[in-house]
Amino acid sequence: TPAKGGKILVLPGDHIGPEVVTEALKVLDIVEQATGAKFERDFDLCGGCALDKHKDSVTEEVLKKSEQVDAVFFGSAGGPEWGTAQPNPESGLLRIRKRMQIFANLRPCKFASKTMVERSPIKREVIEGVDFMLIRENCGGAYYGNKIEEADYACDPWEYSRPEIERVARVAGALALQDDPPVPVWSVDKANVLANSRVWRRIVTEIFEKEFPHVKLQHQLADSLAMLFITKPTAFNGVIVTDNTFGDILSDESGGLTGSLGLLPSASLAGAPGTDLGRNSVGGVVGLYEPVHGSAPDISGEGLANPVAQVLSLAMMLRYSFNMHNEADSIEEAVAKVLDSKADGGLEIRTGDLGGRATTKDMSEAIQAEVKRLL
Ligand code: NAI
Ligand code: MG
């Protein structure tokens, strides 16, 4: 096995971004101390902070760095003070995504701890036990290509070609195989009406027959899945893979299922774990990791932000980019323990978004202590 650790580019961004990134990196310090792994950290700017300094949301230098590191750890970008600025702060992240070719956006949908099920807007008996990974293709489809925009006519070509479909299908297969036995995979499309969906379905089927014969693949129509997410979400425990447009909508919907923006991590991968595709210098996958939430300008500067989404993004980084599965599991376990501390007879350690009164630092320190104990 290669030496543990590697090179990361840290882009804290704006508002609560730096607040939660600082705390998550303290957890990384503890992982280093406990395991001997070493993470070389290069800090730079992206978003409004980059606009202020360089008059651009991201510089060419940072884009180059993003291609050279093993992983990027991102906070959040944007805020009302850059309201009319062009380019806008959020464009920096889009340019990094494109440069890194992080085509697979992963959003886990599960409860960060057992008591968090109470926060869901869905009835407990329907939502309890939900545990799926949603993969959104993020470099193709209707959001790219040559758009036509006229006064009375517009066209967004919704295109996919074989290599784009094959690579995201491989991510789904590889993730399913991380469980033993492998979890099932659902490929989501609108093959009843869209030509590109029919090609998507045929190519995904081919890849699974050839490369993942032991993974069960099923096909699901996107509109029907939107309903089933609400009525029968646990029926999809496993891996779900879909295109850019459906993935955009379904990932927001799946985020809503658990009801806590401050707890949702994400990963964007340039390859499939365990394959040569997108492999970084330490045998993991090149990826960018960030919370689902934005920069929360309404609470920034007050030490009130929930650090959990950023900390869980760190766990995903360790798992996919650095093959540190045990450490990732321990971080998730530590977070769960802290979220449930009151239910388990201890003090309540929850930030305001979870109905508690803890500060970012309180919660972070509790998580750090727990990680230290577990590693
Ligand atoms: P937001 O996610 O920043 O905030 C929505 C609400 O959730 C706010 O009330 C906020 O206080 C709360 N919240 C979010 N994260 C929290 C946390 N960790 N702890 C406690 N409360 C939390 O979304 P919003 O307000 O629509 O956007 C604010 C800015 O962030 C905008 O400039 C937007 O463009 C940007 N944004 C950036 C993203 C990114 O960097 N990837 C993603 C989404 C939005
Ligand atoms: Mg969206």
Side-chain angles (χ1 to χ4, degrees):
T1 50
K4 277 189 175 166
K7 234 178 139 169
I8 62 173
L9 174 63
V10 184
L11 302 171
D14 306 315
H15 288 287
I16 68 163
E19 300 176 33
V20 289
V21 166
T22 301
E23 297 308 318
L25 291 177
K26 291 179 188 164
V27 175
L28 188 61
D29 292 339
I30 291 165
V31 170
E32 287 186 333
Q33 286 153 19
T35 62
K38 190 78 203 106
F39 291 89
E40 195 184 321
R41 307 163 196 196
D42 185 357
F43 290 80
D44 219 310
L45 305 177
C46 180
C49 52
L51 273 173
D52 289 346
K53 182 146 187 228
H54 303 293
K55 296 189 165 53
D56 203 356
S57 54
V58 65
T59 60
E60 177 57 30
E61 195 197 339
V62 171
L63 290 168
K64 275 217 182 78
K65 282 184 192 173
S66 75
E67 292 177 295
Q68 289 159 357
V69 292
D70 298 312
V72 175
F73 194 53
F74 192 89
S76 53
E81 59 272 55
W82 299 285
T84 54
Q86 278 304 329
N88 65 359
E90 292 83 359
S91 66
L93 182 56
L94 296 181
R95 286 155 70 194
I96 291 174
R97 279 185 188 288
K98 193 157 180 201
R99 193 61 87 82
M100 292 178 76
Q101 278 293 301
I102 36 181
F103 61 86
N105 180 234
L106 275 56
R107 297 252 205 116
C109 179
K110 61 177 179 192
F111 290 101
S113 80
K114 61 181 192 294
T115 59
M116 287 298 117
V117 69
E118 294 151 16
R119 305 199 53 81
S120 175
I122 311 287
K123 276 191 287 214
R124 175 191 282 265
E125 58 266 35
V126 173
I127 196 70
E128 195 159 45
V130 71
D131 184 2
F132 62 79
M133 180 68 82
L134 183 69
I135 307 172
R136 165 187 176 187
E137 198 294 322
N138 213 3
C139 282
Y143 294 8
Y144 293 89
N146 296 317
K147 296 167 185 300
I148 303 172
E149 190 168 352
E150 294 166 5
D152 303 310
Y153 174 82
C155 173
D156 300 277
W158 189 330
E159 298 174 299
Y160 272 105
S161 57
R162 177 176 284 276
E164 292 172 311
I165 300 167
E166 285 186 347
R167 64 183 188 176
V168 77
R170 288 189 175 110
V171 176
L175 289 184
L177 285 177
Q178 290 203 332
D179 276 275
D180 187 21
V183 291
V185 173
W186 286 268
S187 169
V188 178
D189 61 36
K190 280 288 282 182
N192 51 344
V193 288
L194 292 175
N196 84 74
S197 275
R198 286 190 285 274
V199 172
W200 173 282
R201 188 176 281 212
R202 183 162 48 75
I203 292 174
V204 171
T205 304
E206 278 174 31
I207 290 289
F208 274 77
E209 278 172 0
K210 268 191 236 149
E211 298 177 21
F212 304 100
H214 303 299
V215 177
K216 184 178 179 195
L217 173 71
Q218 290 156 277
H219 300 279
Q220 178 68 44
L221 293 174
D223 51 341
S224 134
L225 183 61
M227 183 183 70
L228 289 165
F229 267 180
I230 307 288
T231 55
K232 240 185 144 197
T234 55
F236 298 94
N237 283 358
V239 174
I240 302 173
V241 59
T242 190
D243 91 318
N244 205 343
T245 303
F246 299 135
D248 188 8
I249 298 163
L250 292 169
S251 64
D252 270 19
E253 188 187 0
S254 79
L257 290 176
T258 52
S260 294
L261 195 50
L263 303 179
L264 302 177
S266 80
S268 296
L269 306 183
T275 72
D276 287 340
L277 181 65
R279 192 188 290 264
N280 65 20
S281 78
V282 292
V285 183
V286 168
L288 179 147
Y289 302 85
E290 57 168 333
V292 167
H293 64 71
S295 64
D298 54 330
I299 59 161
S300 80
E302 298 177 58
L304 298 175
N306 185 342
V308 166
Q310 192 77 50
V311 169
L312 292 178
S313 300
L314 178 80
M316 292 184 89
M317 179 175 87
L318 294 177
R319 181 174 290 127
Y320 298 121
S321 286
F322 299 103
N323 293 320
M324 295 176 76
H325 294 263
N326 290 339
E327 291 75 13
D329 291 347
S330 295
I331 292 172
E332 288 168 359
E333 201 181 320
V335 164
K337 186 103 196 202
V338 170
L339 290 171
D340 289 352
S341 84
K342 191 176 176 193
D344 295 340
L347 291 172
E348 181 182 85
I349 317 164
R350 290 184 182 179
T351 42
D353 58 310
L354 301 177
R357 293 199 292 175
T359 63
T360 308
K361 216 164 178 264
D362 294 336
M363 208 157 165
S364 170
E365 280 170 1
I367 295 167
Q368 290 168 49
E370 203 53 47
V371 172
K372 223 175 234 168
R373 204 180 60 80
L374 288 168
L375 286 181

